[in-house]
Amino acid sequence: MNKKLLSLFLSFFILSFFTSFAQTLNEGFENPTFPPAGWHTKNILGGVVWMQANSIFHSGAHSAIIAWQDTGGEDWLVTPQLNIATGDSLKFWVRKFWPAIYAPDSLEIRISTTDTSVASFTSVLATYDVNTFPNPNFGEYKIDLSSFAGQNVFIAFRHYDFNGNGMYLDDVTIAGSVPVELASFAASVSGNDVTLSWMTATELNNKGFYIERRTAEDSWNSLGFVEGHGTTTETQSYIFVDKGLASGIYNYRIMQVDFDGSYKYYNLKEEIQIDVTKSYALSQNYPNPFNPTTKIKYSVPADGFVNIAVYNVLGDKVTEIVNSIQEAGNYEVTFDASKFASGMYLYRMESGSFVSIKKMMILK
């Protein structure tokens, strides 16, 4: 065999090897297309079908839902073909639709080692009574797949009911694939700044995180991007600071993105409130004396025109720091005195009927 043919053979072998053994499953049903790429549904008895849910989810902003059928329903949601490795487990999160009991209502986890025809799913890995699933929270379930190590399989979620309860399914993963597993996501407030912090327990092909924010009046807006650590089984910590917010209530989420473009949302559970100031205030600049810059904090309790100007000791206005209409909130500005001589200066804030004057010292 010549070198060119050998090279082509090795390239094909390597590509085939990694294509068949590098498969992972980490599905949160976030993509607008349902079922997700490679998945498919089977509706045996007619009526309701598996579909995407928008308002109830374990993480992100979506999940999969199968409702109840008055006359009886049998509906399947089937994964793409997966190669199972030693130590792999199937993990998924579920929640029943209603808190009440509606029987019969069951979920079977079936597996096929050949194809996706119903008759091929001869192995039943587990059977659950949907009425035992939690509500309103989600519960996590895990199934050991060790007996299928080295095999290509399809996994089916078969829901059967007769005027039953219905259920939600979210965050379906093959645990051995080491997905990006978020261990925590929290926020803290300092003045008008919000610090977001999160940790990952494991990462697989993690390109990074887009940080998004919204208010009650706005849609989600992207604030920035934090790079991930690719693939690692070590705990990683991340921080992002959202600075200079006006008074109001904010929601945050992060969008984790893989190198292949797939993504998943993680929502911060609590709303973040930046307190509405109740009165006008002009703080003493800091540092003072200073050279050449100092910071001045001030507060306005209502939307309106704000002017902050600097005067010399003779009463001459030498510059304006703020001269605009501003929303109610707490603010901080930096004054650069590089062009001014050493000495005592006054800074004066005026907004509505409020007037305040303070001294500051430039020392060069």
Side-chain angles (χ1 to χ4, degrees):
M1 183 180 294
N2 62 40
K3 291 183 178 179
K4 183 176 291 187
L5 288 176
L6 179 59
S7 176
L8 288 172
F9 172 78
L10 289 175
S11 298
F12 176 78
F13 173 80
I14 292 171
L15 179 61
S16 300
F17 179 86
F18 282 101
T19 298
S20 61
F21 286 92
Q23 297 162 311
T24 62
L25 183 65
N26 186 17
E27 184 56 60
F29 306 105
E30 297 299 322
N31 195 293
T33 302
F34 190 93
W39 292 65
H40 65 277
T41 61
K42 298 178 182 293
N43 180 233
I44 307 302
L45 301 178
V48 298
V49 297
W50 282 97
M51 58 189 300
Q52 187 181 59
N54 297 320
S55 59
I56 295 178
F57 43 81
H58 171 250
S59 68
H62 302 282
S63 64
I65 180 177
I66 182 65
W68 63 95
Q69 182 66 37
D70 294 346
T71 57
E74 181 183 349
D75 296 275
W76 297 56
L77 181 61
V78 182
T79 70
Q81 188 178 49
L82 304 164
N83 183 267
I84 305 303
T86 302
D88 277 355
S89 294
L90 172 69
K91 290 184 178 181
F92 55 94
W93 293 77
V94 291
R95 198 205 93 163
K96 62 183 177 182
F97 196 95
W98 300 106
I101 303 299
Y102 294 90
D105 198 353
S106 64
L107 175 70
E108 287 183 349
I109 312 300
R110 295 191 173 212
I111 198 164
S112 167
T113 56
T114 54
D115 55 55
T116 61
S117 64
V118 169
S120 297
F121 287 90
T122 55
S123 297
V124 179
L125 302 181
T127 301
Y128 304 97
D129 181 351
V130 172
N131 290 288
T132 65
F133 290 163
N135 177 296
N137 298 320
F138 278 74
E140 183 184 28
Y141 292 78
K142 178 180 178 180
I143 299 174
D144 182 22
L145 300 177
S146 298
S147 60
F148 296 92
Q151 299 184 62
N152 293 319
V153 304
F154 299 91
I155 298 174
F157 296 84
R158 174 190 177 270
H159 177 259
Y160 174 80
D161 82 298
F162 189 88
N163 196 22
N165 199 315
M167 58 168 285
Y168 298 89
L169 172 69
D170 203 2
D171 293 331
V172 181
T173 64
I174 299 297
S177 62
V178 196
V180 175
E181 182 181 347
L182 205 68
S184 64
F185 185 23
S188 60
V189 179
S190 177
N192 287 56
D193 300 341
V194 174
T195 299
L196 302 174
S197 58
W198 64 99
M199 296 176 62
T200 60
T202 59
E203 297 184 18
L204 176 67
N205 298 324
N206 181 24
K207 180 179 180 181
F209 305 87
Y210 287 96
I211 295 85
E212 299 183 357
R213 179 192 69 207
R214 74 173 180 184
T215 64
E217 297 80 18
D218 299 329
S219 57
W220 289 103
N221 294 305
S222 181
L223 305 178
F225 180 78
V226 177
E227 289 188 359
H229 287 81
T231 298
T232 177
T233 56
E234 297 181 355
T235 300
Q236 303 295 332
S237 299
Y238 299 90
I239 289 179
F240 181 87
V241 181
D242 190 14
K243 296 183 176 181
L245 293 167
S247 299
I249 297 176
Y250 299 89
N251 295 100
Y252 289 90
R253 70 182 184 184
I254 53 178
M255 182 175 75
Q256 183 273 316
V257 182
D258 290 344
F259 285 107
D260 64 4
S262 58
Y263 61 90
K264 182 176 182 178
Y265 285 104
Y266 296 92
N267 290 63
L268 186 67
K269 292 183 179 180
E270 67 270 20
E271 293 181 328
I272 300 301
Q273 181 170 343
I274 302 299
D275 290 334
V276 177
T277 182
K278 297 181 180 179
S279 61
Y280 288 99
L282 177 64
S283 299
Q284 184 64 52
N285 65 300
Y286 181 84
N288 190 42
F290 66 95
N291 178 33
T293 62
T294 188
K295 295 183 182 297
I296 300 172
K297 293 183 178 181
Y298 63 97
S299 301
V300 290
D303 297 358
F305 188 82
V306 179
N307 177 268
I308 300 178
V310 178
Y311 297 81
N312 61 26
V313 292
L314 299 177
D316 300 322
K317 184 190 292 185
V318 297
T319 190
E320 289 182 330
I321 303 174
V322 178
N323 190 47
S324 63
I325 295 175
Q326 295 187 329
E327 296 180 350
N330 302 306
Y331 295 88
E332 180 181 271
V333 293
T334 299
F335 173 52
D336 188 343
S338 300
K339 298 180 180 179
F340 298 99
S342 297
M344 182 72 70
Y345 291 81
L346 306 174
Y347 60 99
R348 178 181 183 271
M349 172 180 168
E350 180 177 1
S351 182
S353 60
F354 174 80
V355 176
S356 180
I357 301 174
K358 294 188 180 297
K359 298 177 182 180
M360 60 182 173
M361 176 70 73
I362 302 175
L363 188 61
K364 295 186 176 180

